[in-house]
């Protein structure tokens, strides 16, 4: 069996080392605990951004190690990150647009108030 | 396969039985399949991206709805499901590793644990859905928690019973007066403004009596619409993933996979990890709103 492992580690398919997988799992659990714990503190707008940052770190760990992106040819990562880029582009343009149509902006201009 | 090789005059019939004729090596075939799977996962990301966009637009316009409505979600159940999915991702990664190392028994065991985690996830989800169903916390016109408040007292707030005359005196809820003290229309009213009526009626209400209504934002059903579509589509992916893992498990028991051929195990694993990845974002966005 140890010959088998050696053959694969230098050979065609990369086998993720056991300590790495267990370590990634432990890190994911710690980050899950952290993201729940942080909601007990009121940090204003930062709460959302910290939660998103932690989620992105967790997603990166899953993609890099569980999904093997780190060991794959980089083209798979380009495809994956490309899709995330386009989703971000989509969401940010939609947000830029919807902010322009904020109802309170219209309230100042359009309606005629009772005299 | 071997017939084709012979027809082409290829004497090499000893190569892997899993290698299609249009690939040069098993590695090339494996990497091509993997790229194809990643392209499929990209379409999944874009599918969920549209829903995340809807979420972002509604939250940007109406943050008060999200702050109010997320209290109806149980953080501990959401965190439990996060832990279950992360653990199932680990067992899936271990299953792929077992297949790569020719460990048949471990492969079967890890796949079975992964499916089991899928069932636990769906069971917790069912408990959450049932709770919302019971309390009328649903999408669109089905959102009617008021109807259920008199029967149950275990959710966020309890409805205080209103005195009858308060309802009779004005069909308009006092909340509307508090939010919009100046009526805005584009036409001049034919009725002369009255000093004490009809808005003057508002002063007869005891504002404390309506505290529980005043704090409720309008259109809370939008949050539950987004919640059910996003978690529902995610749950559908969990079910599909469990089906795929079941198929892989059956083939593993039949001994189809080995160090030489484990592509289906790996690609199903990628799908399962993506389901985990989407939940990693759904959990803080839906359950942990501050």
């Amino acid at each position: 069996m140890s010959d088998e492992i050696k053959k694969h580690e230098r050979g065609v398919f990369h086998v993720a080392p056991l300590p790495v997988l267990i370590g990634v799992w432990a890190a994911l659990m710690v980050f899950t605990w952290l993201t729940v714990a942080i909601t007990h503190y009121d940090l204003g707008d930062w709460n959302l951004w910290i939660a998103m940052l932690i989620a992105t770190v967790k997603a990166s760990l899953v993609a890099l190690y569980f999904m093997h992106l780190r060991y794959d040819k980089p083209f798979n990562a380009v495809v994956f990150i490309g899709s995330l880029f386009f989703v971000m582009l989509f969401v940010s343009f939609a947000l830029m647009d919807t902010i322009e149509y904020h109802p309170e902006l219209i309230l100042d201009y359009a309606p005629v108030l009772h005299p | 396969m071997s017939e084709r090789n012979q027809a082409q005059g290829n004497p090499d019939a000893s190569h892997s039985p899993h290698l299609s004729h249009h690939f040069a090596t098993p590695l090339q075939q494996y990497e091509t399949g993997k790229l194809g799977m990643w392209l499929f996962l990209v379409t999944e990301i874009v599918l969920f991206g549209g829903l995340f966009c809807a979420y972002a637009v509604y939250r940007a316009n109406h943050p008060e709805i999200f702050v109010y409505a997320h209290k109806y979600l149980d953080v501990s159940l959401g965190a439990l499901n996060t832990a279950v999915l992360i653990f199932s991702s680990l067992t899936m990664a271990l299953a792929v590793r077992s297949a790569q190392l020719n460990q048949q028994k471990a492969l079967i065991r890890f796949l079975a644990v992964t499916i089991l985690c899928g069932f636990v996830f769906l069971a917790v989800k069912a408990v959450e859905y049932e709770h919302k169903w019971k309390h009328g916390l649903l999408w669109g016109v089905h959102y009617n928690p008021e109807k259920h408040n008199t029967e149950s007292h275990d959710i966020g707030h309890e409805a205080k019973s209103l005195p009858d005359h308060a309802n009779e005196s004005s069909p308009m809820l006092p909340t509307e007066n508090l939010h919009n003290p100046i009526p805005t229309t584009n036409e001049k009213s034919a009725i002369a403004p009255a000093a004490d009526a009809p808005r003057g009626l508002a002063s007869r209400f005891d504002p404390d009596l309506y505290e529980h209504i005043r704090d409720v934002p309008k259109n809370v059903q939008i949050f539950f619409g987004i919640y059910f579509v996003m978690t529902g589509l995610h749950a559908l992916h969990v079910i599909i993933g469990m089906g795929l893992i079941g198929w892989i498990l059956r083939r593993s028991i039949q001994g189809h996979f080995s160090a030489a051929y484990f592509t289906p195990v790996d690609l199903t694993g990628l799908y399962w990890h993506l389901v985990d990845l989407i939940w990693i974002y759904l959990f803080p966005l839906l359950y942990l709103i501050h």
Side-chain angles (χ1 to χ4, degrees), chain A residues 16-39:
Chain A
L18 193 59
V20 168
L21 293 181
I22 302 286
V24 166
W25 171 74
L28 289 172
M29 293 306 291
V30 169
F31 279 122
T32 303
W33 170 81
L34 189 67
T35 194
V36 174
I38 278 178
T39 51

Side-chain angles (χ1 to χ4, degrees), chain B residues 95-286:
Chain B
V96 172
R97 186 187 139 86
S98 307
Q100 287 174 323
L101 297 177
N102 258 335
Q103 298 166 347
Q104 301 292 344
K105 271 188 187 159
L107 168 64
I108 291 164
R109 220 173 293 144
F110 284 130
L111 288 176
V113 172
T114 310
I115 292 188
L116 207 68
C117 287
F119 277 114
V120 172
F121 180 89
L122 289 178
V124 173
K125 205 80 233 153
V127 169
E128 291 188 85
Y129 278 7
E130 196 239 351
H131 179 264
K132 283 171 196 65
W133 187 273
K134 225 167 56 189
H135 295 113
L137 300 165
L138 300 173
W139 54 89
V141 293
H142 304 289
Y143 176 78
N144 49 2
E146 295 86 2
K147 222 166 88 180
H148 301 263
N149 273 355
T150 46
E151 297 148 24
S152 55
H153 300 276
D154 57 335
I155 54 169
H157 62 80
E158 292 177 23
K160 295 175 190 171
S161 57
L162 305 178
D164 288 343
H165 65 85
N167 285 330
E168 284 163 13
S169 54
S170 168
M172 195 164 71
L173 279 176
T175 48
E176 293 187 30
N177 289 330
L178 290 167
H179 281 295
N180 295 319
I182 305 164
T184 56
T185 60
N186 291 323
E187 278 180 75
K188 196 176 173 187
S189 174
I191 304 165
D196 58 352
R199 271 198 290 133
L201 287 174
S203 59
R204 290 192 204 160
F205 291 116
D206 175 10
D208 292 339
L209 195 62
Y210 294 96
E211 198 182 4
H212 63 288
I213 303 178
R214 199 175 55 212
D215 295 337
V216 178
K218 284 181 181 176
N219 298 326
V220 177
Q221 74 277 7
I222 286 173
F223 175 85
F224 289 101
I226 289 174
Y227 167 82
F228 275 103
V229 171
M230 290 187 96
T231 59
L233 189 66
H234 179 265
L236 182 67
H237 279 77
V238 171
I239 293 168
I240 293 170
M242 286 164 66
L244 288 172
I245 296 169
W247 167 63
I248 294 294
L249 178 60
R250 190 162 156 266
R251 289 188 63 183
S252 305
I253 292 166
Q254 291 167 348
H256 286 191
F257 302 120
S258 64
Y261 181 67
F262 58 90
T263 310
V265 186
D266 203 12
L267 301 193
T268 305
L270 284 182
Y271 183 85
W272 190 254
H273 294 313
L274 185 86
V275 171
D276 182 27
L277 215 106
I278 288 164
W279 183 259
I280 282 175
Y281 279 96
L282 282 182
F283 172 57
L285 284 176
L286 292 172

Side-chain angles (χ1 to χ4, degrees), chain A residues 4 7 13-15 17 45 47 65-66 71 81 107 113:
Chain A
E4 196 101 43
K7 195 178 84 191
F13 305 112
H14 181 270
V15 180
D45 288 345
N47 275 100
Y65 295 99
F66 285 174
Y71 313 112
I81 292 166
L107 201 69
L113 300 182

Side-chain angles (χ1 to χ4, degrees), chain A residues 14 16 39 56 72-73 98 112, chain B residues 31 34 61 97 185 281 290:
Chain A
H14 181 270
T39 51
T56 304
D72 277 355
K73 281 191 174 172
T98 194
V112 180
Chain B
E31 286 183 341
K34 209 161 185 180
N61 283 317
R97 186 187 139 86
T185 60
Y281 279 96
H290 206 83

